[in-house]
Amino acid sequence: MKITRIEAIPFAIPYRKPLKFASGEVRTASHVLVRVHTDDGIVGVAEAPPRPFTYGETQRGIIAVIEDVFAPQLVGLTLLEREEAHERLARTIGNPTAKAAIDMAMWDALGHTLNLSVTDLLGGFTDRLKVSHMLGFDEPSVMVAEAQRMRDTYGISTFKVKVGRKPVTLDTAVVRALRAHFGNTVELYVDGNRGWTAAESARAMREMADLDLLFAEELCPADDVVGRRWLVEKTDVPFIADESAPTPADVTREILGGSATAINIKTARTGFTTSRRVHHLAEGLGIEVVMGNQIDGQIGSACTLAFGSAFASTSRYAAELSNFLDMSDDLLAEPLQIRDGHLHRLPGNGIGIAIDPDKLAHYRIDEGRS
Ligand code: MUC
Ligand code: MG
């Protein structure tokens, strides 16, 4: 069970339909495949999706920090020394997706070593998650058509609508069009990615007061401390902290400070080890949890699925598991299949995924490329 090597392999897969939101845009999945090898010949895998506009990580930066900083700290530890590995990685404050991918690849390797799934190792609560789909910026009619296609093709009936454009009516018109089109047959919530001010957010929430929103997420920056508390105080749906609360300490500060009333857990940035801490913290604080998406591919979505199905509170609401549908291809030997609006737990040990070697050879952009 001893870790002998950690690989960081860059790959690039184009999107069929780019995702646009208030803080950025994604046209290519320029991610890093992380592989943790052990002396038993086991290989655990996960992916790190750089989000330069949110956390400052880049594809090259992730590879450098894994090769130069994290791998030397972890090689020689066993897969059971996860808390020691966590301590060593936690000395570095930043680089969330690099640390998370290593952590999840270690859990994957542990599952393969023990012949158990990560979901069962973590808590084993359920066998499926309801899927929520993110709708990126576009005209109202285009976003409604996209939601209809998701419902017709995959049975998805929960939509996170990206908002945060100016004027606010650009976005409130979209939410109104979705509600008018679907009536009460869908769940809708909004994510501003910090695009509005607190006052603009309050105005938008007023305009959408009759649209039965499930949540409001990160409408304005949490660093606008007083404005954000004022907004959260007057918002009558749970207000989710996403990028403002990526760590347990941030969650504690934001929730106790009144800057949010619910949180996102994203395995892409907190792996399994720290996501578990965030989950327990949320339980202790008595707040709602949504399994979020960091614009993950299928590997990352499988990680979210593995973690989200392990606990009651992470499987209560629809989880953001469908971003990969907008990508032109992926690396898994068995592609994820959303059916009747759900993703079912993957059979198999660890995270339950296998990488297709031909696809990896095709999409990797380092010297290992065929
Ligand atoms: C989300 O929930 O905000 C956009 C930026 C990011 O880091 O994640 C996405 C989705
Ligand atoms: Mg968000």
Side-chain angles (χ1 to χ4, degrees):
M1 282 207 232
K2 197 171 268 195
I3 298 170
T4 52
R5 188 156 73 101
I6 300 178
E7 285 180 284
I9 302 168
F11 64 92
I13 302 177
Y15 268 67
R16 265 188 293 107
K17 183 182 144 305
L19 181 74
K20 293 187 198 165
F21 43 96
S23 56
E25 179 175 337
V26 177
R27 296 183 163 273
T28 305
S30 297
H31 298 182
V32 178
L33 181 73
V34 173
R35 290 203 286 216
V36 169
H37 298 255
T38 74
D39 58 357
D40 308 308
I42 299 280
V43 185
V45 295
E47 74 175 336
R51 293 292 156 250
F53 38 77
T54 311
Y55 307 103
E57 288 179 294
T58 63
Q59 194 180 38
R60 283 193 297 160
I62 287 171
I63 293 166
V65 80
I66 289 177
E67 289 179 348
D68 300 343
V69 181
F70 297 145
Q73 290 174 349
L74 301 184
V75 166
L77 291 181
T78 77
L79 297 174
L80 294 177
E81 293 176 283
R82 295 191 308 284
E83 285 300 302
E84 177 61 28
H86 172 75
E87 280 296 297
R88 293 185 187 184
L89 295 176
R91 275 189 222 143
T92 302
I93 289 170
N95 303 91
T97 66
K99 292 188 285 196
I102 293 174
D103 175 74
M104 294 190 288
M106 282 178 64
W107 277 90
D108 188 44
L110 181 66
H112 286 293
T113 306
L114 302 176
N115 292 321
L116 288 169
S117 77
V118 165
T119 300
D120 284 334
L121 284 170
L122 287 168
F125 183 73
T126 184
D127 65 349
R128 79 196 72 176
L129 293 182
K130 191 174 174 195
V131 174
S132 161
H133 184 69
M134 288 194 288
L135 295 169
F137 288 171
D138 216 317
E139 297 298 317
S141 61
V142 177
M143 292 172 71
V144 169
E146 170 73 357
Q148 184 66 52
R149 186 173 71 82
M150 288 293 150
R151 193 149 99 155
D152 293 344
T153 316
Y154 304 103
I156 297 174
S157 60
T158 302
F159 297 99
K160 166 153 121 174
V161 187
K162 287 296 194 182
V163 297
R165 291 180 286 186
K166 291 168 204 286
V168 300
T169 43
L170 260 182
D171 293 325
T172 57
V174 171
V175 184
R176 189 162 295 284
L178 285 162
R179 185 56 83 206
H181 182 79
F182 290 107
N184 62 4
T185 64
V186 296
E187 293 178 317
L188 299 174
Y189 59 111
V190 291
D191 181 4
N193 288 111
R194 299 162 282 143
W196 288 326
T197 63
E200 286 167 334
S201 309
R203 182 175 155 212
M205 290 306 286
R206 243 186 352 259
E207 280 185 20
M208 297 187 288
D210 59 329
L211 299 180
D212 193 23
L213 293 178
L214 191 59
F215 303 110
E217 178 172 323
E218 213 77 271
L219 299 182
C220 68
D223 282 356
D224 295 347
V225 180
V226 174
R228 170 82 167 239
R229 288 180 191 170
W230 168 83
L231 173 67
V232 171
E233 174 84 6
K234 67 201 335 278
T235 301
D236 68 354
V237 294
F239 193 104
I240 296 176
D242 174 11
E243 55 266 46
S244 63
T247 69
D250 295 323
V251 171
T252 310
R253 271 191 292 266
E254 296 308 311
I255 297 293
L256 294 185
S259 290
T261 47
I263 54 152
N264 255 179
I265 291 182
K266 293 186 173 178
T267 51
R269 69 181 177 212
T270 35
F272 296 138
T273 302
T274 305
S275 292
R276 188 162 61 165
R277 287 171 155 81
V278 173
H279 160 267
H280 292 329
L281 174 63
E283 206 171 58
L285 290 166
I287 56 170
E288 307 277 24
V289 170
V290 174
M291 290 306 298
N293 192 304
Q294 207 158 294
I295 323 181
D296 305 305
Q298 295 199 20
I299 304 171
S301 302
C303 291
T304 306
L305 174 64
F307 186 88
S309 30
F311 306 100
S313 66
T314 53
S315 50
R316 187 166 299 138
Y317 293 103
E320 296 165 9
L321 291 165
S322 62
N323 177 68
F324 67 85
L325 295 173
D326 292 340
M327 289 167 58
S328 60
D329 200 359
D330 218 307
L331 299 184
L332 294 191
E334 286 287 331
L336 299 183
Q337 302 284 348
I338 299 173
R339 289 200 188 91
D340 296 328
H342 289 80
L343 259 179
H344 285 254
R345 257 177 74 167
L346 302 175
N349 299 324
I351 295 164
I353 54 174
I355 303 300
D356 180 327
D358 295 333
K359 292 202 168 189
L360 179 59
H362 183 70
Y363 290 115
R364 66 189 295 172
I365 55 171
D366 58 354
E367 69 282 357
R369 188 176 188 165
S370 60

